[in-house]
Amino acid sequence: MAFLGLLSFLAYLVLGSLPDNLGTLGPLGSQVLYFFLLTFVVGAYLYRCESGPHHATWGKRRMGLTVVGIDGAAPSRRRILVRTVVKLLPWEAAHFFVWQMMWTFYQHGYEAAPPVWVFLGLQASTAAALVYIAMVVFTGRGPHDRAAGTVVL
């Protein structure tokens, strides 16, 4: 995220403004662009660290935690891939609806009201994130760990 911020700042310094990717690419194109600039990078980091020899991200290693299979064995790369994808789904779903909302404002101004389905999608994304958090707090395992058959010890 810091790298993306630095790139944006440099683009602003060189161009005098930020590129109009929303106007050029539309909401779906913009989402794809930023998926690869942000979500994919975060997902690749999570996957690489948790499927690596330590089975943990930098923060997990500092806290003495590791991702293991439900049986206590090292998780397979496929399990870590499933874990990573399921973990990032609510985040990317929220991005989809935010881009749709921004598109409405881009086309009609900030006083425009985005369609109801956009608000419902944002609420569903928020609810999914809250379910993730509640599951981790109350059961120790979120949907991503359940889907992948993993646990953090």
Side-chain angles (χ1 to χ4, degrees):
M1 290 174 70
F3 182 68
L4 181 57
L6 179 62
L7 284 177
S8 297
F9 180 68
L10 291 174
Y12 180 78
L13 288 178
V14 171
L15 301 172
S17 66
L18 292 174
D20 181 14
N21 62 284
L22 189 57
T24 304
L25 302 174
L28 292 178
S30 296
Q31 181 178 2
V32 169
L33 173 65
Y34 283 92
F35 168 81
F36 283 107
L37 289 174
L38 184 58
T39 309
F40 181 79
V41 174
V42 171
Y45 165 76
L46 293 171
Y47 174 79
R48 178 131 166 78
C49 290
E50 293 179 352
S51 66
H54 298 289
H55 301 290
T57 58
W58 181 86
K60 283 185 184 75
R61 285 198 316 255
R62 296 300 169 273
M63 294 180 64
L65 302 172
T66 187
V67 179
V68 297
I70 200 76
D71 59 357
S76 68
R77 291 187 183 273
R78 184 188 74 65
R79 286 184 185 270
I80 296 300
L81 180 62
V82 169
R83 184 177 196 276
T84 302
V85 169
V86 173
K87 182 188 290 188
L88 295 178
L89 277 175
W91 191 23
E92 196 55 32
H95 286 170
F96 172 80
F97 293 108
V98 167
W99 281 112
Q100 298 303 314
M101 184 172 59
M102 289 174 56
W103 181 245
T104 300
F105 297 148
Y106 183 87
Q107 290 183 309
H108 306 291
Y110 285 110
E111 59 280 342
V116 171
W117 65 270
V118 171
F119 284 113
L120 293 175
L122 286 169
Q123 296 305 315
S125 297
T126 301
L130 293 174
V131 167
Y132 270 56
I133 292 167
M135 285 181 73
V136 170
V137 168
F138 294 113
T139 71
R141 294 177 70 212
H144 55 295
D145 279 321
R146 293 184 183 282
T150 57
V151 66
V152 176
L153 297 177

